[in-house]
Amino acid sequence: MSSTDLGMPAVAPRGVGHLRGEQSFPAAARTALADSQLRRNLGHATRTIRTKRASVVAELDDWEQLRLAGEALKTATMARLDEHLERLEKAVQARGGVVHWARDANEANAIVTGLVAATGESEVVKVKSMATQEIGLNEALEAAGITAHETDLAELIVQLGGDMPSHILVPAIHRNRAEIRDIFLREMPGVDPQLTTEPRRLAMAARAHLRERFLRAKVAISGANFGVADTGTLLVAESEGNGRMCLTLPDTLITVMGIEKVVPTWQDLEVFLQLLPRSSTGERMNPYNSAWTGVTPGDGPQTFHLVLLDNGRTAALADEMGRTALHCIRCSACLNVCPVYERAGGHAYGSVYPGPIGAVLSPQLTGVEDNASLPYASSLCGACFDACPVRIDIPSLLVRLRARHVDEQRSAHRVPSAEALSMAAAAWVMASPTRFAAAEKASRAARLLGRASGRISALPPPLSAWTASRDAPRPPAETFREWWARNRGAS
């Protein structure tokens, strides 16, 4: 395919990839909240990353100006996304690369598995890639008889453990060193049985395991942090060097990139390569920034394919406000400051994109009703907006998606739901000062339920829907109206 006509906006297909969970967020979160080790792992890791990020961000006097610049660049790019993608395609082709367009996960998986099969190889090495996780590429390759070896250390831990990523930047954030050692001892061939939990020893074991695969691999698969439309250059930012090995040693390189990752010019990278490392790993710059442009004879892969992935992105792009979720540069800063994510972990979201950004991005890629609980997985505290390096207004997007869910439910069901009836009753009570005052007085009867702790942990239906996941405060002995009349009534 060599056209940017991706058809009418369509959501990501069901039954393929990792954008939908088997459970709603509340149900999955209950399981996570019961795991005290998970909460300790998450709390320690997110606090460490937050502290590092705060330190390096404080070094820049113009941090807010950089955020505004990143926001403006993303807004302008999304407004002319089709033009930038066409320029990117032409530039890649002019430098010896081949461009493929994939409407959804099924098309992308078919393209990549076909390209690998055409080489005659039965294994590939992979750079950490959210896009390939999103479409379930590893499963598609396995079904085609092709083994994919994850080379990012955290992705390797997840793969060997038969697990799923729980964080955008640190997929194995839910594992501690003892758990990682046990996985290596159980799943890694030839590992030293005396392996300890010392980070250096764990890294050395992973390095020895991966080096063999790097040296024999003929095909590599990567994602891309950015694609430069002017030159056809793709860029991967990483911390370990495994990406550099994948991008230089194999004969064939296949890159899967979401269409929103394009930037118009090299100059735009000046902004994003300052925002990304500080917001993600708390570093001034990424240890490895690998950029490649097409094919260079005698140097690096001699065959290069770029797969441009839609998979619901044009559906998000069609929403003037919702498209701001596509501005995300996958730094994960919003996850590290989110009180909900810190307690529930990434698996509870059921999507490869967890946390606040996942709560707005996943429903737009799949359709709101396929991820209806995610927009409610937030306290709307606003910490995610303050942390976002490109100023995505996640709280406003969450409220918008909640409203869309309510509207879709209302149009789909003629009989009002219990929630709708409750809201209607509350609106009727609050519309009248007399009725509201009477309700305040009646609420004092609930004081009997919270005598011991000052909180109410269980209420009868339909109010039990509230206390199933949070305590209700014990009503005061005196209403505000009564206090005002007693203290200020004469004046």
Side-chain angles (χ1 to χ4, degrees):
M1 258 181 100
S2 60
S3 169
T4 52
D5 180 13
L6 298 178
M8 293 297 290
V11 298
R14 292 189 176 99
V16 59
H18 302 291
L19 287 173
R20 300 169 174 87
E22 296 180 358
Q23 296 179 299
S24 67
F25 179 85
R30 287 190 190 98
T31 302
L33 289 169
D35 188 338
S36 58
Q37 182 62 60
L38 172 68
R39 295 205 308 277
R40 284 194 294 271
N41 294 348
L42 289 168
H44 172 73
T46 53
R47 281 193 300 273
T48 299
I49 298 172
R50 285 199 304 268
T51 301
K52 289 179 63 180
R53 177 189 178 277
S55 176
V56 295
V57 165
E59 295 174 352
L60 297 182
D61 294 334
D62 62 345
W63 178 251
E64 285 305 312
Q65 285 72 29
L66 279 170
R67 291 181 73 211
L68 288 165
E71 178 187 28
L73 287 169
K74 281 292 186 178
T75 300
T77 301
M78 291 303 113
R80 300 172 58 191
L81 185 60
D82 55 342
E83 299 174 25
H84 298 310
L85 289 171
E86 287 181 342
R87 288 197 298 121
L88 176 67
E89 178 187 36
K90 291 176 182 177
V92 170
Q93 291 173 337
R95 289 159 178 81
V98 181
V99 177
H100 310 262
W101 298 83
R103 289 182 177 84
D104 57 30
N106 287 321
E107 283 194 8
N109 287 334
I111 290 168
V112 176
T113 54
L115 292 173
V116 177
T119 68
E121 296 295 317
S122 59
E123 65 177 357
V124 300
V125 288
K126 286 185 69 212
V127 186
K128 179 180 181 294
S129 163
M130 298 302 295
T132 60
Q133 285 280 358
E134 172 190 326
I135 63 177
L137 179 60
N138 285 9
E139 292 85 347
L141 291 170
E142 183 180 7
I146 300 166
T147 301
H149 300 291
E150 296 288 353
T151 65
D152 175 82
L153 178 56
E155 288 285 1
L156 175 65
I157 294 165
V158 169
Q159 185 178 43
L160 291 178
D163 205 348
M164 289 295 295
S166 62
H167 192 277
I168 289 176
L169 180 71
V170 195
I173 195 172
H174 56 292
R175 298 289 193 185
N176 60 30
R177 286 181 287 172
E179 292 172 313
I180 294 168
R181 178 199 57 195
D182 292 342
I183 291 172
F184 282 8
L185 289 172
R186 186 175 65 248
E187 302 293 340
M188 193 177 282
V191 71
D192 181 358
Q194 302 303 314
L195 181 67
T196 69
T197 60
E198 183 186 352
R200 179 172 175 269
R201 296 292 179 185
L202 294 172
M204 288 173 64
R207 184 182 299 118
H209 173 77
L210 291 172
R211 185 59 57 92
E212 177 189 356
R213 286 149 181 79
F214 284 135
L215 293 177
R216 74 174 186 234
K218 302 297 182 183
V219 181
I221 297 173
S222 84
N225 290 96
F226 304 102
V228 183
D230 271 358
T231 62
T233 301
L234 284 299
L235 185 139
V236 164
E238 43 132 356
S239 299
E240 299 169 12
N242 62 295
R244 183 73 54 86
M245 300 284 279
C246 289
L247 298 167
T248 56
L249 292 179
D251 298 329
T252 299
L253 173 61
I254 303 167
T255 297
V256 180
M257 186 185 93
I259 56 175
E260 81 281 15
K261 296 295 188 70
V262 68
V263 295
T265 70
W266 264 93
Q267 189 175 8
D268 300 328
L269 293 178
E270 295 178 8
V271 173
F272 294 118
L273 291 183
Q274 293 183 76
L275 291 170
L276 179 58
R278 285 178 168 83
S279 296
S280 56
T281 57
E283 296 171 296
R284 296 178 183 87
M285 67 180 294
N286 296 101
Y288 295 88
N289 287 308
S290 300
W292 66 100
T293 307
V295 174
T296 302
D299 182 16
Q302 296 302 289
T303 303
F304 171 57
H305 296 271
L306 172 62
V307 181
L308 293 170
L309 175 69
D310 184 343
N311 207 41
R313 286 161 174 78
T314 51
L317 189 67
D319 184 327
E320 188 172 351
M321 181 178 180
R323 71 177 60 169
T324 59
L326 298 178
H327 294 185
C328 176
I329 58 175
R330 308 293 191 269
C331 71
S332 75
C334 62
L335 280 69
N336 300 324
V337 299
C338 178
V340 176
Y341 173 85
E342 184 176 353
R343 288 157 180 79
H347 292 158
Y349 293 80
S351 168
V352 70
Y353 302 116
I357 188 60
V360 295
L361 182 60
S362 299
Q364 292 189 93
L365 297 180
T366 65
V368 174
E369 292 310 293
D370 275 14
N371 269 308
S373 65
L374 289 189
Y376 297 90
S378 171
S379 64
L380 299 179
C381 67
C384 49
F385 171 73
D386 292 338
C388 178
V390 290
R391 293 172 46 87
I392 301 172
D393 189 355
I394 294 176
S396 294
L397 286 176
L398 289 167
V399 172
R400 182 182 179 86
L401 290 171
R402 292 179 186 184
R404 187 185 302 175
H405 166 61
V406 170
D407 290 342
E408 292 188 15
Q409 287 291 303
R410 185 182 294 123
S411 62
H413 304 287
R414 293 186 178 181
V415 178
S417 65
E419 180 183 22
L421 291 173
S422 299
M423 292 298 102
W428 180 79
V429 169
M430 294 179 183
S432 164
T434 302
R435 291 193 292 265
F436 190 70
E440 283 183 319
K441 291 182 179 179
S443 71
R444 279 204 293 259
R447 286 180 55 78
L448 297 173
L449 299 176
R451 284 176 295 180
S453 64
R455 299 185 304 273
I456 301 173
S457 300
L459 287 171
L463 298 177
S464 58
W466 176 276
T467 54
S469 56
R470 59 182 71 80
D471 292 335
R474 188 187 187 202
E478 183 180 40
T479 69
F480 175 77
R481 292 168 186 268
E482 291 169 338
W483 177 90
W484 185 270
R486 180 168 54 81
N487 289 279
R488 302 290 181 88
S491 60

